[in-house]
Amino acid sequence: MSDTPQGQELSESELRPISRRDFLSLAATWAAATALGLALTALMKFPMPALFPDTSKLFKIGKPEDYPVGAEKVFEERKVVVKRDSEGLYAISLICTHLGCVVSQQAKGFDCPCHGSKFDALGRVKAGPAPKPLPWLKVSQLSDGRLLVDAMKQVPAGTKYMISH
Ligand code: FES
């Protein structure tokens, strides 16, 4: 049951049409709210930079026999790729040096989805805006033979860990 009596006539102020100023104000509010909603939706779809990296930066990557010459293994959660060539094993960070987005591996290198930086297979910048190459990370070996990557310790590009069998 309604609080207002049925059949009662509306007052003149209730019948007054909305003014042009009120209409424009309402339209502007709706336009701003719609623009904000669209912007937030677009932001959620954008690849997010790695602003809050894992706390555990030292991690095991397996044994030397897991990496024959030519092997390549991406550790997606760690944002690191480990590669082996005839000179040794090396780890490259997958975090773009521009604003920290995670790069994706391509046939001949890495592409950043955020602003278009491109890196070659060794992490060197081929196209900006990334200001620096992808960092190379320290690889070491435990006494039981298992290999480790320390994502907190950068090494000069080209530093490869010699695997002894
Ligand atoms: S974060 Fe990679 S190009 Fe901007």
Side-chain angles (χ1 to χ4, degrees):
M1 196 161 180
S2 170
D3 290 342
T4 56
Q6 296 294 319
Q8 185 177 3
E9 288 187 22
L10 297 171
S11 69
E12 190 170 315
S13 65
E14 290 171 317
L15 289 173
R16 189 182 63 195
I18 187 167
S19 72
R20 180 184 165 98
R21 174 179 287 181
D22 289 345
F23 175 78
L24 290 177
S25 174
L26 195 61
T29 302
W30 275 105
T34 302
L36 181 63
L38 291 173
L40 288 174
T41 302
L43 188 63
M44 291 171 71
K45 290 180 182 173
F46 204 65
M48 296 303 286
L51 295 176
F52 305 106
D54 291 347
T55 50
S56 172
K57 290 293 193 178
L58 185 66
F59 57 96
K60 299 178 188 92
I61 57 169
K63 296 192 168 192
E65 52 267 32
D66 299 333
Y67 297 91
V69 171
E72 224 176 74
K73 195 170 178 184
V74 174
F75 292 82
E76 287 187 22
E77 279 187 26
R78 308 293 185 165
K79 300 166 186 68
V80 168
V81 61
V82 176
K83 301 182 182 198
R84 166 92 191 266
D85 64 18
S86 59
E87 298 169 348
L89 194 79
Y90 55 101
I92 300 177
S93 168
L94 297 176
I95 297 175
C96 182
T97 53
H98 179 224
L99 292 178
C101 289
V102 178
V103 299
S104 62
Q105 194 163 20
Q106 306 297 315
K108 293 186 174 180
F110 307 92
D111 288 354
C112 182
C114 291
H115 312 102
S117 288
K118 294 183 182 305
F119 304 87
D120 69 11
L122 297 176
R124 295 176 292 213
V125 178
K126 290 188 340 189
K132 295 189 297 186
L134 296 174
W136 283 46
L137 307 172
K138 184 174 182 191
V139 177
S140 59
Q141 197 167 16
L142 294 169
S143 57
D144 66 2
R146 285 180 297 171
L147 297 158
L148 291 175
V149 169
D150 188 344
M152 293 296 283
K153 291 192 179 145
Q154 292 186 25
V155 296
T159 305
K160 297 177 183 176
Y161 183 79
M162 295 296 296
I163 294 179
S164 55
H165 289 285

